[in-house]
Each structure stands twice: as structure tokens, then as C-alpha cells.
Amino acid sequence: MKVIRVPGEMTAWAKEQAANGKNIGLVPTMGFFHEGHLSLMRMARTHAERVIVSLFVNPLQFGPNEDLAAYPRDFERDGRLAEQEGVDVLFAPSVDDMYPDGFQTTVSVSTITGHLCGANRPGHFDGVATVLTKLFHVTGADCAVFGEKDYQQLAVIRRMVTDLNADIEIIGHPIVRHKDGLAMSSRNAYLDAAERETALCLSGSIALARSKAEAGMTDTGELTRLVRDFILSFRGTEIDYASFVDCRTLEPAGRLDDNTLLALAVKINGRVRLIDNGLVLEDNESADEGWAE
Ligand code: AMP
């Protein structure tokens, strides 16, 4: 596996591959790999002859009071894991190379970023859309794989690619979970043992909504109250949002239907913000990897 740090070198390598008729799959990440990231790398391999994993903790997508400085990092371990997955290039640029002096362009997607994380993290999706536009250009990727764990991010990127006629296929990957249901996340590293238990309120509330829906409850107002009460019954939880939305538009859902998604962002002990989501009516548990094994 090659490690490339300079954007120009990344582009030169990608052009050489394209000239040799090889198509390129990209997996954008912020590192501190877990099985979720590794599954995305495997999926990229099934779509592309060359796989690039980018590792860049993007300052543009962190708010002033967020965890940019504390974000977990372990470059050596990430390199070993990516290599074991047969990744061709680990692209790990510096902040200065991505945003040199004089940088002044922002890519901004509007309506779909107005909900959920977009409403709670001003500027977050501008940072995401801007860095991904750069990564798509630098790598010349034919396809890119994203996890449904960051459901809104996937929706925003699909919108951006359509709106800008970007010649890249966006591929979604189901959420990868620990056996007890917790969605894998680099931020789980912040949790102590008690908080790790508390974190089960997210996947637990998706399971709760599914069981109530199965029992015939279709009013999302009533379901929202149940889910909120459930989450708040865990010590130290604070709800950023717990919303039933249409999975295509992310607009609030009235009555449940096949497109209703429960999207969650919960802070634990004011420190660790976790997100999760799931379709309520579809038997999504079989689509999510690892749930209730
Ligand atoms: P991150 O490093 O957190 O920015 O994530 C990089 C990519 O991995 C994003 O597309 C995420 O949606 C995806 N990802 C993170 N956690 C999971 C998970 N538990 N299951 C599936 N995809 C994930």
C-alpha cells in the first residue's frame, strides 16, 4: 500500500491508473478505523480495481466548541488495517495542503442540510461538501462509498453530486453495529464503561420504535414522545434530536410509512455526541450488519 500525503502526487497516481484503464473507488474517512470503515473498504473493492482511502480530520466540518483537537487518531494502526484490507493508497494530506493560505471557496448544499445535524451543527455540511468536492477532484474517483450511519451526509452528497453533474457514483453501505446494537463509531472511544451502556439508548430506541410500529402505532408524535422518554430514562443523556423523517427529503414525517426513518443524535454526559438511525417499518435489522447476532 502506498501512503501519499501531497494532493498533486495523489492526482498524478490516479491519472496513471486511469490511463491504464483502472477504475478508482474512494472511501473518505477521518481515521481511527473500526469494522465499519473496513467494511466500506471491502465494498469499494467490489466496485473498483483501485481503492483509495482518504484519512483527513477535516477542520472545516468541526464547530468551534467541537472535538477537533481531541478527535481520536492512530495513524500507524490505521495504516496496518488499511493495508490488510488490500487498499492501494492511503491518502493522508495535511491541513495546510488541503487549505493553503488564500483558500476561499465553500460548497454549500441548501434545503436538505436544514434538518437534523445541519440544524444542530451550523456550517458542518458546508465543511463536508467542500472537502468531499476536493477529494473527488484530487482522486478522480469513479465511485465513493459512504456509510448510512451518517445518513444525512450520504443524502447531502448524493444531492451535491446530482446538482453539480459530478461524474462519480455514490454508494451507500448499511450501518455496522456491535453485537449489542451500538453503531460502531470512532467517537465510541470517548465512552467509559458506564457511558458505553448508556449509549445503547440510541439503538434501543430504534428497536422500541420498531416494536411499537409493529404493534400498530402509526402516529409519529406519539412515537416521538415514547422515544424521547426512553432516551431520557438513561442517566446523563441529552437529546440533540430524535426525529421521524422522510428518508428521501429528511422532512418531518407525519404518519409512518415505508420511508419513515428515525434519526437520532444524543449527547452523553455533555461530552460525547453519538448519532444513529434506522428505517422504522422495513425489517432493517437484517440490513444492518452485526445487530443482535
Ligand atoms: P468517519 O471516519 O467517521 O468520517 O467515517 C468515514 C465513513 O465511514 C463515513 O462514510 C461513515 O458514514 C462511515 N461509517 C462510520 N461508522 C460506520 C458504521 N458503524 N457503519 C457503516 N459506516 C460507517
Side-chain angles (χ1 to χ4, degrees), residues 187-188 190-191 195 266-274:
R187 289 189 167 99
N188 292 346
Y190 297 141
L191 302 168
E195 291 168 337
V266 176
K267 262 200 205 108
I268 298 176
N269 290 338
R271 260 181 352 103
V272 188
R273 183 180 181 278
L274 299 177

Side-chain angles (χ1 to χ4, degrees), residues 28-30 34 37 40 71 146-147 149-150 153 174-176 184:
T29 80
M30 299 203 300
H34 50 67
H37 296 111
L40 266 54
Y71 198 82
F146 293 88
K149 157 110 184 327
D150 299 84
Q153 168 173 279
I175 299 176
V176 180
M184 291 193 186

Side-chain angles (χ1 to χ4, degrees), residues 57-109:
V57 182
N58 175 32
L60 283 194
Q61 70 190 68
F62 286 77
N65 299 316
E66 294 183 357
D67 57 343
L68 174 62
Y71 198 82
R73 297 164 211 241
D74 189 342
F75 187 78
E76 300 302 321
R77 177 175 171 275
D78 284 350
R80 279 198 306 278
L81 290 172
E83 185 152 32
Q84 280 166 20
E85 294 301 334
V87 166
D88 296 290
V89 174
L90 186 61
F91 175 50
S94 69
V95 172
D96 285 347
D97 277 337
M98 289 295 272
Y99 305 119
D101 281 350
F103 184 87
Q104 52 190 275
T105 299
T106 300
V107 180
S108 192
V109 180

Side-chain angles (χ1 to χ4, degrees), residues 148 151 175 177 206-207 209-210 213 244-248 256-263 277-285 287-288:
E148 288 173 0
Y151 192 92
I175 299 176
R177 297 178 180 281
I206 298 171
R210 284 179 178 155
F244 290 85
V245 299
D246 184 294
C247 68
R248 297 155 302 182
L256 278 192
D257 65 27
D258 288 346
N259 294 312
T260 307
L261 183 87
L262 173 55
N277 68 81
L279 286 170
V280 182
L281 286 183
E282 188 179 281
D283 180 18
N284 206 33
E285 297 183 16
D288 288 348

